[in-house]
Amino acid sequence: MAPTTSYSRTARAVRVVAHRGASHEHPEHTIEAYRQAVADGADALECDVRLTADRRLVCVHDRTVERTSDGRGAVSAMTYEELSAFDFGRWKGEAHRGARVLLFEDLLKEALAADRPVGLAVETKHPTRAGGRLEAELVRMLRDHGLADGRSGLVEVMSFSRGALTRLHRLAPGLPAVHLIERRLRAPRPPFAGHAGPGIDLVRKDPGLVGRLRAKGLRVRVWTVDEPEDVELCVRLGVETLITNRPRQVREQLAAL
């Protein structure tokens, strides 16, 4: 049966955010993955940020580098120069792609240089020995680029940590905040966080969660939505934003609904 007009309008309005770039096709958090995501039509680029020992912001998800590089050790215990010696091209069992660790500032410049508005969804990773220095450095960099007040609409911040979101709000109250949810909401949502981010596993188990969150006036984004049936489920439930490793495929499916 053909989709209704209202369903089609809903699907077309859904934002697509590239999870660590187009990470189904390229190693995560590499400039190639992000350039592919922009080419694939992603509305925004999702990244995880950590602070190195010499206080550089790098795009790395894990606390340590073993999974995504040919090196060993904790990100926070190494300098940017030390991290730069590793190959961060480990992906699907391969580790010979020659990718260097990506500075957040370089990703920021890449997004700003796009030929259309491309946003950034930035998750600060916790726990970390850097503590609040991570959020302070992120806001400092955004301020240097004129993006910390939130007026551009290009940057939003995310975290599972209520404390991290609180620090970000104090430093940059104009930035949209997303409270990420993995299994269930263990602590009260920060009142300033207007977005809720449950994982797709949680949404599958409890589809009614999306409606309850929306009834509280929250905008809902779901991660990580790669499968066609999950895309359809999220659209049906009224999810506003999908975070996906496959931005092109998801964009094409939304256009066809």
Side-chain angles (χ1 to χ4, degrees), residues 100-123:
R100 295 182 66 187
V101 65
L102 179 62
L103 284 169
F104 172 72
E105 186 172 17
D106 288 343
L107 174 59
L108 179 58
K109 291 176 180 177
E110 188 75 22
L112 292 175
D115 60 1
R116 59 183 174 84
V118 176
L120 285 174
V122 186
E123 180 185 346

